[in-house]
């Protein structure tokens, strides 16, 4: 074996291939025994991850927890008052603040855009479309005893590839 991988095979006069050079370099360098979980190549002692740099680009990032509205929110008097007054901007703000959610989390839950939620909370926009009100209440999982049965969907919600929530049609549920 050559003294260094870059010298190649001096006996045959042929240069060493990059793969052989890499294997020779890996054989010569000490390792702490850690290997990439995906490709099983040795990991650098400076790499704190469980994957090599090449495989880390292929591995999807871990899924963050799905945002949820805290259950105790619906017992608060100010939240119930916002529901009674149909002040959906205040409702969204109170739910978001007391559940420690971001507007992006609320957008994910409700299917309304973050920009619209921002305008709704600030009072620039109002939510008057009954379909969007129902989608908001379904997304926040407001208890039925607070909204009444009229503001609840009869069919489950689905999320198409476009990212918007909508009620499934009878053909989709069959």
């Amino acid at each position: 074996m050559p003294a260094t991988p870059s010298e190649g095979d001096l006996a045959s006069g042929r240069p060493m291939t990059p793969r052989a050079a890499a294997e020779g370099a890996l054989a010569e360098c000490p390792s702490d025994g850690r290997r990439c979980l995906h490709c099983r190549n040795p990991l650098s002692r400076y790499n704190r991850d469980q994957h090599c740099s090449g495989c880390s680009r292929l591995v999807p990032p871990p899924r963050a927890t799905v945002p949820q509205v805290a259950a105790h929110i619906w017992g608060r008097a100010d939240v119930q008052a916002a529901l009674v007054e149909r002040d959906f901007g205040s409702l969204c703000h109170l739910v978001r603040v007391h559940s420690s959610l971001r507007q992006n989390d609320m957008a994910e839950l409700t299917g309304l855009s973050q920009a619209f939620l921002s305008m709704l909370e600030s009072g620039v926009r109002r939510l008057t479309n009954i379909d969007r009100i129902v989608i908001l209440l379904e997304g926040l999982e407001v208890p039925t005893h607070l909204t009444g049965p009229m503001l609840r969907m009869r069919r489950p919600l689905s999320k198409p590839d476009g990212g918007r929530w909508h009620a499934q049609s009878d053909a989709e549920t069959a």
Side-chain angles (χ1 to χ4, degrees), residues 116-133:
F116 182 81
L117 286 169
S118 176
M119 291 185 284
L120 186 65
E121 286 184 13
S122 65
V124 173
R125 297 284 303 267
R126 293 188 47 122
L127 192 57
T128 56
N129 184 321
I130 190 69
D131 293 330
R132 292 181 89 181
I133 292 171

Side-chain angles (χ1 to χ4, degrees), residues 13-67:
R14 290 178 290 165
M16 188 175 280
T17 64
R19 181 180 175 108
E23 288 173 357
L26 288 177
E28 292 174 6
C29 69
S31 174
D32 60 358
R34 293 183 323 117
R35 294 189 169 272
C36 173
L37 294 178
H38 185 72
C39 67
R40 304 300 301 154
N41 283 329
L43 294 173
S44 165
R45 63 181 171 186
Y46 303 108
N47 184 347
R48 302 278 184 234
D49 298 328
Q50 295 180 350
H51 298 281
C52 65
S53 62
C55 292
S56 66
R57 291 184 209 108
L58 302 175
V59 176
R63 175 77 172 129
T65 59
V66 177

